[in-house]
Amino acid sequence: MKSMLILGLLGCGMCWSQTSADCIPSALNIPGAKYPCVYPDNRAMFRVIAPDAPKVSVRIGRGFDMAKGPDGVWTVTTTPLVVGFHYYSLQIDGATVADPSTMTFFGSGWPNSGIEIPEPDADASYYHAKDVPHGHVSEQWYFSKITEKWRRCFVYTPPNYGTSAKAKYPVLYLLHGWGEDETGWHTQGHVDYIMDNLIAAGEVKAMLIVMDNLNAVKPGESGAIFAARGLVPAPGAAPAGRGGTGAQGQALLPGGAPNGQPSRGGAPTGRGGGGLARPTFTEMMLTDLIPTIERTYRALPGRENRAMAGLSMGGAQTFTTALNNLDKFAYLGGFSGSCGGRGGNFDAKATCGDAFSDPAAVNKKVKVLFLGIGSAEGQGTKDFSDALTKAGIHNVYFESPGTAHEWLTWRRCLKDFAPRLFR
């Protein structure tokens, strides 16, 4: 009994030592919050004050039930998590809520908590603030004739935009994924830091970046795919949940497609079409968004000065929009999302509509066709890239080592994609 007591005390001492010294508060915590915190081996500790709750768990990765202490504080330490940004939420007595200890980030269709599992500083430096000239991210409202609603986008302007009054810039239209919104690339993706650092290093051409919301429906059209699923079910209906989460706590697309490809949800929508790409967004973009940007900002017109890219669902939308309008776009990128890669034999006349049926024409019009993916997301995108290459279609394949369907993959994709534009 004495030996067991000594071992128990030693064990608790080790746990206390890890908690107080080795577990570093997440960079996404609110000021002064010590939890969640992250251990050097990428385990995360969560603590929640809920003295009257019968059960508390944290929804991240596979999910973890928490244990209640005598002080009414619930605690759990996860298994090691993959580096990068993770959405997560708490379940307290069956209700799913955000953790008040962290900032919130719009993902999975509602404001989620977030935790960052840090990379080594040298690897992460490209998306952190540095002592370099900084650009600006501004909010731009515009009225859409197509949706008959006011819409909001965010626009990144490079550091010299305000001082070079006559300079004009090419434009990258950059889209978020399912369950996210126009704030994603700025808030979770750190697009401004990435571009500031690349511009300062002379690795990219200065450009505007427009971040719009994929939610675009005409009056009378269903917007269910963009809705807050399961927050308050209709009378008499069972709660539908908020959609699945991936192994890293990231929002999955309907059907749980792991690499950004639609697994169900409607018929194709033309060249590059998929169930998650919507023709209304394309129409709105061409009719309302691009004219607003070129009227309001010093944007260069013409296809050679326009690029489009997106992550996951935004990648599917990019391929639908751009492949149907190659007279308006010369660069396109899919980050964990495109119009292929779901397996089966590649058929240039059937895959992505007939977009790749004339390889010579595609190669002439598309200056960069970029396919990016995290190594933990599967082989589909690599197979798609190889099939395009075999068919004679030029493309760039990028694989982020060790990452899954989450924001670190997409930050790395942007870092590789942006230097290829407008050369």
Side-chain angles (χ1 to χ4, degrees), residues 263-316:
S263 57
R264 64 171 182 260
T269 53
R271 288 185 168 187
L276 293 171
R278 292 294 187 261
T280 296
F281 182 88
T282 299
E283 188 177 356
M284 183 284 303
M285 183 178 183
L286 300 181
T287 303
D288 302 314
L289 178 59
I290 292 178
T292 294
I293 297 302
E294 296 186 355
R295 181 173 60 248
T296 309
Y297 296 84
R298 298 196 307 275
L300 289 167
R303 63 181 302 275
E304 296 83 3
N305 298 305
R306 294 193 200 109
M308 187 173 181
L311 68 91
S312 195
M313 181 180 182

Side-chain angles (χ1 to χ4, degrees), residues 12 34 45 67 90-91 149 158 165 178 185 251 285 293 342 358 376 386:
C12 289
K34 297 181 179 180
M45 175 184 283
L90 302 174
Q91 283 192 316
K149 291 182 179 180
W178 176 84
W185 268 108
M285 183 178 183
I293 297 302
R342 295 293 294 164
D358 187 345
D386 290 343

Side-chain angles (χ1 to χ4, degrees), residues 159-172:
N160 58 348
Y161 186 84
T163 57
S164 302
K166 295 184 179 181
K168 293 188 176 183
Y169 302 87
V171 185
L172 166 61

Side-chain angles (χ1 to χ4, degrees), residues 83 119 123 126-127 194 370 398 400-403 407-417:
V83 294
E119 294 185 275
D123 294 339
Y126 70 92
Y127 60 85
I194 293 173
F370 181 96
F398 170 81
S400 168
T403 59
W407 275 99
L408 184 53
T409 293
W410 306 322
R411 293 171 192 161
R412 290 175 175 176
C413 284
L414 178 62
K415 179 177 181 287
D416 192 274
F417 179 64

Side-chain angles (χ1 to χ4, degrees), residues 288-371:
D288 302 314
L289 178 59
I290 292 178
T292 294
I293 297 302
E294 296 186 355
R295 181 173 60 248
T296 309
Y297 296 84
R298 298 196 307 275
L300 289 167
R303 63 181 302 275
E304 296 83 3
N305 298 305
R306 294 193 200 109
M308 187 173 181
L311 68 91
S312 195
M313 181 180 182
Q317 185 68 58
T318 292
F319 274 66
T320 290
T321 300
L323 290 176
N324 281 291
N325 295 278
L326 291 180
D327 60 326
K328 297 178 175 65
F329 301 93
Y331 306 84
L332 63 154
F335 310 162
S336 303
S338 60
C339 60
R342 295 293 294 164
N345 295 323
F346 176 82
D347 182 348
K349 294 184 179 180
T351 303
C352 309
D354 64 348
F356 300 116
S357 58
D358 187 345
V362 173
N363 292 337
K364 183 178 180 180
K365 292 180 179 180
V366 180
K367 294 189 176 183
V368 174
L369 193 162
F370 181 96
L371 297 168

Side-chain angles (χ1 to χ4, degrees), residues 35-285:
Y35 302 95
C37 60
V38 183
Y39 286 108
D41 64 357
N42 293 349
R43 292 175 301 134
M45 175 184 283
F46 296 86
R47 289 170 63 85
V48 178
I49 300 174
D52 298 328
K55 183 178 181 180
V56 179
S57 60
V58 59
R59 295 180 62 186
I60 187 170
R62 59 178 177 82
F64 299 88
D65 291 333
M66 306 182 80
K68 185 178 181 180
D71 55 357
V73 177
W74 296 77
T75 305
V76 71
T77 298
T78 70
T79 54
L81 301 171
V82 171
V83 294
F85 178 94
H86 300 250
Y87 297 115
Y88 78 93
S89 58
L90 302 174
Q91 283 192 316
I92 302 177
D93 195 15
T96 302
V97 297
D99 186 345
S101 296
T102 74
M103 295 180 283
T104 56
F105 305 86
F106 197 83
S108 302
W110 71 298
N112 264 286
S113 296
I115 184 172
E116 187 87 27
I117 306 300
E119 294 185 275
D121 289 342
D123 294 339
S125 63
Y126 70 92
Y127 60 85
H128 288 168
K130 294 182 180 181
D131 186 14
V132 299
H134 290 279
H136 299 275
V137 175
S138 58
E139 183 181 65
Q140 178 67 51
W141 286 91
Y142 63 99
F143 186 78
S144 167
K145 299 175 184 177
I146 300 302
T147 66
E148 298 183 15
K149 291 182 179 180
W150 284 94
R151 292 177 55 85
R152 180 180 70 166
C153 66
F154 285 91
V155 181
Y156 168 83
T157 52
N160 58 348
Y161 186 84
T163 57
S164 302
K166 295 184 179 181
K168 293 188 176 183
Y169 302 87
V171 185
L172 166 61
Y173 293 86
L174 188 61
L175 299 178
H176 60 85
W178 176 84
E180 295 165 342
D181 65 8
E182 67 274 23
T183 64
W185 268 108
H186 175 216
T187 308
Q188 292 98 291
H190 305 308
V191 65
D192 49 343
Y193 293 156
I194 293 173
M195 294 304 298
D196 291 344
N197 295 334
L198 289 174
I199 290 172
E203 296 181 22
V204 302
K205 189 169 183 178
M207 67 187 77
L208 308 178
I209 298 182
V210 178
M211 296 155 278
D212 204 77
N213 194 324
L214 280 169
N215 184 342
V217 293
K218 296 178 181 178
E221 284 184 340
S222 173
I225 192 171
F226 308 109
R229 291 177 175 80
L231 291 179
V232 180
R242 295 190 181 88
T245 55
Q248 312 312 322
Q250 303 305 316
L252 289 178
L253 306 175
N259 64 347
Q261 309 305 331
S263 57
R264 64 171 182 260
T269 53
R271 288 185 168 187
L276 293 171
R278 292 294 187 261
T280 296
F281 182 88
T282 299
E283 188 177 356
M284 183 284 303
M285 183 178 183

